Amino acid sequence: DVKVTQSSRYLVKRTGEKVFLECVQDMDHENMFWYRQDPGLGLRLIYFSYDVKMKEKGDIPEGYSVSREKKERFSLILESASTNQTSMYLCASSPLLTGTSGWDNEQFFGPGTRLTVL
Amino acid sequence: KNQVEQSPQSLIILEGKNCTLQCNYTVSPFSNLRWYKQDTGRGPVSLTIMTFSENTKSNGRYTATLDADTKQSSLHITASQLSDSASYICVVSGGGKTDSWGKLQFGAGTQVVVTP
């Protein structure tokens, strides 16, 4: 089974702190994603990566950065946390299948990190 | 404006009863539509995927339908069980060409509560 793990289930930080959220997948997937999920808004894509050291902005990248130094690990960084970044953060991975659009392939999600910024 | 709208926002059903969730989308061009199930405290898990040419697809007690002409999809749950209590999310992808990226749009989800 595909397994996507996230470093923390719950995290509480203070405004202005630098926050690191880690995600690791064990299926050798090329693609990895970071989403945030808020009530009534659904999942929104922050960043994604289709290869080591490659990254692409999603719909809401402001206030976030990412790092992908190894294929299995994708990190989300909040340079200076703010209260409006309080949310559930979900990491996902998917395989790269040639002959398809990048979004065609099933994404496998981690359990999420509920981040509260005070 | 969200290009994927789901209804109802939430519903409560008795164990053993059937229910139908709706998903309307405006994403164009269309590539595929997935239904995900998200249990409380867990990440979403894919239930079904449907492409333009598919009208119906089943996964156990879950049956998804797609009308690409009217841009509507439904997810029908038959003989509901307590374990069906979850959020069901409709996800539509489109615009991507082979070996490239298009766009992916998520609905806000329908929260289903199955009561004994």
Side-chain angles (χ1 to χ4, degrees), chain A residues 66-85:
Chain A
V66 291
S67 172
R68 194 163 179 203
E69 296 297 319
K70 293 184 177 181
K71 189 175 184 179
E72 68 273 16
R73 189 180 297 270
F74 192 35
S75 302
L76 180 70
I77 303 152
L78 287 66
E79 295 289 343
S80 179
S82 63
T83 55
N84 62 14
Q85 292 178 310

Side-chain angles (χ1 to χ4, degrees), chain B residues 49-111:
Chain B
I49 177 173
M50 303 183 72
T51 59
F52 185 88
S53 59
E54 295 175 301
N55 299 118
T56 303
K57 184 165 283 188
S58 292
N59 178 358
R61 294 178 296 99
Y62 301 101
T63 300
T65 65
L66 175 66
D67 185 335
D69 292 332
T70 62
K71 295 184 168 57
Q72 295 180 326
S73 176
S74 66
L75 180 69
H76 187 75
I77 305 175
T78 303
S80 61
Q81 300 177 359
L82 297 178
S83 59
D84 293 328
S85 294
S87 178
Y88 293 84
I89 302 170
C90 175
V91 185
V92 181
S93 70
K97 300 178 182 177
T98 300
D99 298 326
S100 68
W101 296 88
K103 55 186 174 182
L104 191 71
Q105 296 287 332
F106 287 81
T110 293
Q111 185 68 44

